[in-house]
C-alpha cells in the first residue's frame, strides 16, 4: 500500500457512450448538476458534429473548440473524484471514441427506450468486451412510449453479448409513466412529469404492502409485483465481481431529460464502479498504486489556428503521482521532458495543476512531440498498449498538388496520422501513400488541415480497396512467398507493420485459402 492509495481509490474515470440522440449529452449534464459542477441546465454543449455541418468548416471548428472544453469533465461527488470522458457521437469519429475507451475504467451506456440497441452502441460495446470494461446501462426516455422492458433487456443481452441485471424497474411508460422501483435500495421513486424532478421517494422494502396502491393504480401495482417476481426469477442476483469482470451489466431505467432515475444511477455508480484499474504494458502489468508515475497519450487535440500550431496531448495517468515540472521520460523519443503547464479539467474549465494521480486525465500543451499511444514514465522503459487500429472502411491515394511544398505535406501527413486522424499505408511496390478512414468526413478534415496548418495542398485519387489486413505467420518462407506474390498490394502502416491491402472480399478469401499458414488480422494488434 502506498501514500496515494486514498487519492487513487476515490477516483472514478469513465465514459458515457451511446448512439447519437439516445441522450448522452443530457445525462452528462444531469450528472454534472448533481456534482454541483454546473448550476444551470443547458450548460453542456453537445459536441456532436451534426450531419448538416459536414461541409461547413467554421461550424466544425466551432464544434471542435467546444469539444476540447468538454473532453474531460471532473467533479467531486460524495467524497469521490469523478472524471467523465466525453466521446464524439458522429460515427465518422468512431476511432476517437474507441481510443477514449482505452483511458477509462468503466462505461455507462445510454440506450433509447424506444429504439433499443442501435448500430453505434453495438460497435462501442465490442471494444468494451475486448477490454473487459465494466458497463452499466441506462435505459432512457421512459417518459415516452417505448418498448417492453423485458424485450429491451433480451435485446441488450443478445446484441451486446453481456448478461444483464436490472437494479431499477419502470412503472409503466410514456404518459402513464409513474416512476421506478429502485430494486437496489428497496425504494419507490415517484415521477411527476410537470415538476420534472424526483418529487417523492418512498421507502418500500416490501413490495407486497398495501401502501404501494396509495402511490400507483391497482393495475400498475399488480404489474410491478409480477414484473419484479419475473426479474428475480430470470436474472442473476447482482454480483459486483461479475460486473467488474465485464460479465454482468446492471441496468437502470429513467428519463435524463426529466432528471429522473439519474441520481440512483450515480449513487450506484460511485459505490460499485471500479477505481483505477491496472493497465497492461508490453513489459508487464502496471498497478495504479505503484508510486512511480506512468501514463500514456490517448488523444491529441490540435489547435487549428495556423499561427500557433500547438496541440494538447491528453494523458491518462496509469500509476502514481504526476508532478508539474518534474522530469519524465518520453519513451518513443528517448527524451527527458518537463511540463510546466499541465492542465486538469474540472467541470468545464481547464486549469494548471501542480499534481495529479492515477486515474486522472491531464492535458499537456505540445508542439508535435506526441503521438497517440506514446508512453511517459518516471524513467522505466515501458510501452503501454494502445487500442489496436481497425481496418479502415474507405481508402484513397493522397497526392501532392504543390511540388514546392513536398516537405510540408510529408510533415503534415506524419503529424495528422500521429494524432490519429486517419491511418496511413505506404504501398511498398510503388511508394504511394494511401489514407484509410472510417468516414468521408475525415478526408475533408485532412485536406483542410493540411492546407491551413501546413500550407500543403493535396488531392485525392481513387483506389479500389476492400480491407487492410495485418499479416503474420510462424513460417518465414511462407510469409516471404506471400509478400512476393502480393507485392503490388503490400504496404506498411505508420508503425512499420506489414499490411496486405485486399481489393475485394473474393480476393481475400482466395488468399486465405491459398496461404493457410498466414494469419490475416483485421485489427493491428493480436495475441
Ligand atoms: P446525444 O446525441 O446522445 O448526446 O443526445 P442528447 O442528449 O442531445 O438528446 C437527444 C434528444 O433527446 C434531445 O432532444 C433531448 O432533449 C432528448 N432527450 C434526452 N433525454 C430524454 C428523455 O429522457 N426523454 C425525452 N422525451 N427526451 C429526451
Amino acid at each position: 500500500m502506498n501514500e496515494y492509495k486514498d487519492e487513487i481509490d476515490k477516483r472514478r474515470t469513465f465514459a458515457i457512450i451511446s448512439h447519437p440522440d439516445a441522450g448522452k449529452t443530457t445525462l452528462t449534464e444531469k450528472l454534472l448538476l448533481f456534482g454541483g459542477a454546473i448550476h444551470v441546465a443547458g450548460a453542456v454543449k453537445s459536441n456532436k458534429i451534426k450531419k448538416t455541418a459536414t461541409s461547413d468548416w467554421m461550424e466544425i471548428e466551432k464544434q471542435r473548440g467546444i469539444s476540447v472544453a468538454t473532453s474531460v469533465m471532473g467533479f467531486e461527488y460524495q467524497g469521490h473524484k469523478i472524471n467523465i470522458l466525453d466521446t464524439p457521437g458522429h460515427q465518422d469519429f468512431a476511432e476517437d471514441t474507441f481510443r477514449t475507451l482505452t483511458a477509462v475504467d468503466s462505461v455507462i451506456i445510454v440506450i433509447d427506450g424506444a429504439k433499443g440497441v442501435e448500430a453505434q452502441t453495438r460497435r462501442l460495446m465490442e471494444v468494451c468486451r475486448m477490454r473487459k470494461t465494466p458497463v452499466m446501462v441506462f435505459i432512457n426516455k421512459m417518459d415516452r412510449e417505448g418498448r417492453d422492458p423485458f424485450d429491451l433487456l433480451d435485446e441488450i443481452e443478445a446484441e451486446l453479448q453481456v448478461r444483464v441485471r436490472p437494479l431499477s424497474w419502470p412503472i409503466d411508460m410514456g404518459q402513464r409513466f409513474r416512476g421506478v422501483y429502485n430494486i437496489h435500495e428497496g425504494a419507490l421513486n415517484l415521477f411527476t412529469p410537470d415538476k420534472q424532478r424526483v418529487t417523492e421517494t418512498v421507502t418500500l422494502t416490501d413490495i407486497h404492502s398495501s401502501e404501494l396502491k396509495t402511490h400507483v393504480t391497482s393495475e400498475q401495482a399488480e404489474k410491478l409485483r409480477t414484473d419484479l417476481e419475473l426479474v428475480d426469477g430470470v436474472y442473476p442476483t447482482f454480483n459486483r465481481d461479475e460486473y467488474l469482470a465485464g460479465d454482468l451489466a446492471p441496468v437502470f431505467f429513467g428519463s435524463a431529460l426529466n432528471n429522473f432515475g439519474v441520481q440512483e444511477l450515480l449513487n450506484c455508480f460511485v459505490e460499485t464502479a471500479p477505481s483505477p484499474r491496472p493497465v497492461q504494458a508490453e513489459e508487464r502489468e502496471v498497478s495504479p498504486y505503484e508510486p512511480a508515475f506512468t501514463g500514456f497519450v490517448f488523444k491529441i487535440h490540435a489547435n487549428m489556428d495556423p499561427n500557433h500550431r500547438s496541440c494538447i496531448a491528453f494523458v491518462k495517468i496509469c500509476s502514481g503521482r504526476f508532478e508539474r515540472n518534474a522530469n519524465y521520460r518520453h519513451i518513443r523519443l528517448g527524451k527527458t521532458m518537463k511540463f510546466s503547464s499541465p492542465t486538469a479539467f474540472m467541470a468545464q474549465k481547464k486549469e494548471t495543476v501542480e499534481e495529479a494521480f492515477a486515474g486522472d486525465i491531464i492535458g499537456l500543451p505540445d508542439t508535435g512531440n506526441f503521438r497517440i499511444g506514446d508512453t511517459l514514465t518516471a524513467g522505466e522503459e515501458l510501452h503501454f498498449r494502445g487500442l489496436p487500429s481497425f481496418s479502415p472502411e474507405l481508402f484513397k491515394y493522397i497526392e501532392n498538388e504543390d511540388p514546392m511544398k513536398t516537405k510540408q505535406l510529408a510533415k503534415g501527413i506524419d503529424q495528422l496520422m500521429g494524432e490519429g486522424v486517419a491511418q496511413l499505408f505506404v504501398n511498398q511496390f510503388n511508394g504511394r501513400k494511401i489514407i484509410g478512414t472510417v468516414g468521408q468526413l475525415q478526408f475533408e478534415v485532412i485536406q483542410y488541415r493540411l492546407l491551413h496548418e501546413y500550407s500543403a495542398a493535396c488531392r485525392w485519387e481513387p483506389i479500389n480497396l476492400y480491407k487492410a489486413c495485418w499479416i503474420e505467420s510462424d513460417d518465414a518462407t511462407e510469409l516471404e512467398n506471400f509478400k512476393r506474390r502480393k507485392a503490388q498490394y503490400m504496404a506498411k502502416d505508420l508503425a512499420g507493420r506489414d499490411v496486405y491491402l485486399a481489393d475485394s472480399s473474393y480476393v481475400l478469401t482466395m488468399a486465405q485459402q491459398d496461404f493457410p499458414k498466414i494469419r490475416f488480422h483485421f485489427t493491428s494488434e493480436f495475441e
Side-chain angles (χ1 to χ4, degrees):
M1 288 308 129
N2 74 69
E3 53 190 310
Y4 311 136
K5 184 171 186 310
D6 289 349
E7 283 295 339
I8 293 168
D9 284 347
K10 72 180 208 184
R11 279 161 166 74
R12 300 284 181 274
T13 301
F14 73 107
I16 305 181
I17 57 179
S18 75
H19 192 84
D21 281 341
K24 180 168 69 75
T25 311
T26 313
L27 179 66
T28 307
E29 176 170 294
K30 303 302 170 183
L31 293 176
L32 293 178
L33 279 168
F34 277 118
I38 53 167
H39 301 286
V40 285
V44 176
K45 299 282 181 298
S46 166
N47 81 358
K48 59 186 155 191
I49 292 173
K50 309 231 164 40
K51 282 223 168 63
T52 51
T54 50
S55 51
D56 181 346
W57 294 110
M58 286 320 288
E59 190 56 25
I60 286 189
E61 282 205 46
K62 226 165 59 202
Q63 298 202 16
R64 279 173 48 92
I66 292 165
S67 78
V68 80
T70 58
S71 290
V72 184
M73 288 160 280
F75 63 93
E76 302 269 344
Y77 180 76
Q78 292 184 351
H80 290 91
K81 164 90 191 291
I82 315 276
N83 294 314
I84 305 181
L85 272 61
D86 198 15
T87 53
H90 197 291
Q91 64 170 21
D92 284 11
F93 292 94
E95 291 264 326
D96 273 6
T97 303
F98 294 155
R99 280 192 294 261
T100 298
L101 292 179
T102 63
V104 301
D105 298 300
S106 71
V107 154
I108 293 179
I109 299 180
V110 185
I111 287 176
D112 183 325
K115 295 191 178 143
V117 175
E118 295 173 88
Q120 190 82 341
T121 324
R122 222 173 284 132
R123 287 188 70 193
L124 293 169
M125 183 65 195
E126 267 172 45
V127 177
C128 294
R129 271 204 315 276
M130 223 162 98
R131 304 180 57 82
K132 301 203 183 313
T133 309
V135 301
M136 276 188 196
V137 177
F138 184 73
I139 300 187
N140 191 27
K141 307 199 186 180
M142 293 310 292
D143 60 319
R144 288 216 183 141
E145 289 304 324
R147 308 244 307 267
D148 175 72
F150 285 108
D151 287 352
L152 283 169
L153 294 179
D154 281 353
E155 182 174 292
I156 294 170
E157 288 204 320
E159 302 243 349
L160 300 185
Q161 294 171 41
V162 64
R163 284 155 60 233
V164 296
R165 165 72 216 195
L167 291 185
S168 78
W169 196 258
I171 304 167
D172 244 327
M173 62 173 77
Q175 301 263 315
R176 302 171 314 283
F177 183 52
R178 237 354 237 134
V180 293
Y181 183 70
N182 184 337
I183 306 174
H184 190 52
E185 289 169 10
L188 191 64
N189 296 342
L190 297 171
F191 175 68
T192 318
D194 327 338
K195 303 250 176 79
Q196 306 212 334
R197 279 266 155 197
V198 186
T199 45
E200 233 183 309
T201 302
V202 183
T203 309
L204 200 72
T205 33
D206 181 10
I207 197 73
H208 294 285
S209 95
S210 55
E211 200 196 329
L212 180 59
K213 286 198 186 142
T214 59
H215 302 293
V216 303
T217 67
S218 313
E219 286 117 66
Q220 286 175 330
E222 257 337 288
K223 174 105 181 14
L224 178 64
R225 287 175 184 140
T226 359
D227 279 1
L228 289 179
E229 249 170 57
L230 202 55
V231 165
D232 276 341
V234 173
Y235 299 104
T237 42
F238 178 63
N239 173 320
R240 182 166 185 241
D241 291 336
E242 286 180 299
Y243 157 70
L244 292 178
D247 293 333
L248 184 68
V251 178
F252 292 84
F253 291 85
S255 166
L257 187 63
N258 293 294
N259 205 358
F260 190 83
V262 176
Q263 191 153 24
E264 292 84 76
L265 173 74
L266 182 57
N267 288 348
C268 176
F269 177 80
V270 291
E271 232 176 78
T272 319
S275 53
R277 307 200 303 164
V279 186
Q280 189 64 46
E282 264 164 42
E283 295 80 0
R284 63 187 186 86
E285 189 177 83
V286 177
S287 157
Y289 301 112
E290 292 178 21
F293 160 77
T294 63
F296 67 88
V297 177
F298 67 94
K299 173 183 173 121
I300 291 175
H301 195 105
N303 173 356
M304 302 234 276
D305 179 349
N307 299 320
H308 305 274
R309 201 159 60 217
S310 65
C311 331
I312 298 179
F314 287 77
V315 175
K316 161 79 185 267
I317 303 181
C318 301
S319 67
R321 173 168 163 264
F322 173 92
E323 258 181 280
R324 189 168 86 92
N325 277 330
N327 283 325
Y328 292 121
R329 193 155 180 78
H330 184 313
I331 302 294
R332 183 177 51 85
L333 298 182
K335 241 170 61 175
T336 299
M337 296 173 85
K338 246 204 252 217
F339 304 96
S340 60
S341 42
T343 51
F345 304 84
M346 282 308 281
Q348 304 208 276
K349 293 195 301 282
K350 261 185 5 200
E351 49 196 36
T352 304
V353 284
E354 292 299 325
E355 59 173 16
F357 296 91
D360 284 337
I361 311 295
I362 47 170
L364 301 178
D366 176 46
T367 47
N369 283 310
F370 286 115
R371 281 186 182 176
I372 299 277
D374 278 348
T375 301
L376 279 177
T377 72
E380 186 180 348
E381 193 68 16
L382 272 183
H383 299 81
F384 284 110
R385 293 185 187 165
L387 188 77
S389 311
F390 297 85
S391 172
E393 306 287 329
L394 305 171
F395 300 86
K396 285 181 187 180
Y397 281 122
I398 184 164
E399 297 295 344
N400 190 2
E401 275 283 75
D402 181 354
M404 305 296 287
K405 298 283 170 64
T406 308
K407 255 200 184 137
Q408 283 90 328
L409 184 71
K411 178 156 186 242
I413 293 176
D414 191 55
Q415 297 236 342
L416 294 187
M417 298 306 125
E419 250 180 58
V421 177
Q423 292 182 60
L424 172 71
F425 303 100
V426 181
N427 186 309
Q428 296 301 289
F429 190 72
N430 55 22
R432 289 178 79 179
K433 289 179 176 168
I434 298 160
I435 304 280
T437 70
V438 286
Q440 179 58 34
L441 191 51
Q442 259 103 348
F443 290 114
E444 295 169 33
V445 169
I446 292 167
Q447 193 164 26
Y448 178 89
R449 291 190 54 191
L450 285 173
L451 190 61
H452 288 82
E453 293 170 42
Y454 300 88
S455 313
C458 76
R459 78 169 182 277
W460 302 108
E461 284 193 6
I463 173 171
N464 177 33
L465 287 180
Y466 165 66
K467 278 250 154 48
C469 317
W470 284 264
I471 55 162
E472 56 160 9
S473 176
D474 300 327
D475 185 332
T477 325
E478 184 80 342
L479 199 59
E480 280 317 305
N481 282 344
F482 180 84
K483 287 204 239 175
R484 211 173 311 119
R485 173 98 76 87
K486 297 285 180 190
Q488 281 167 298
Y489 297 94
M490 289 309 302
K492 295 256 187 219
D493 71 3
L494 200 62
R497 288 171 293 217
D498 284 323
V499 181
Y500 165 52
L501 302 169
D503 54 356
S504 74
S505 102
Y506 174 75
V507 169
L508 177 60
T509 313
M510 293 310 288
Q512 284 169 320
Q513 276 174 14
D514 293 349
F515 292 88
K517 287 189 193 154
I518 306 253
R519 291 186 292 276
F520 297 78
H521 302 277
F522 300 101
T523 60
S524 65
E525 255 173 41
F526 23 86
E527 295 301 325

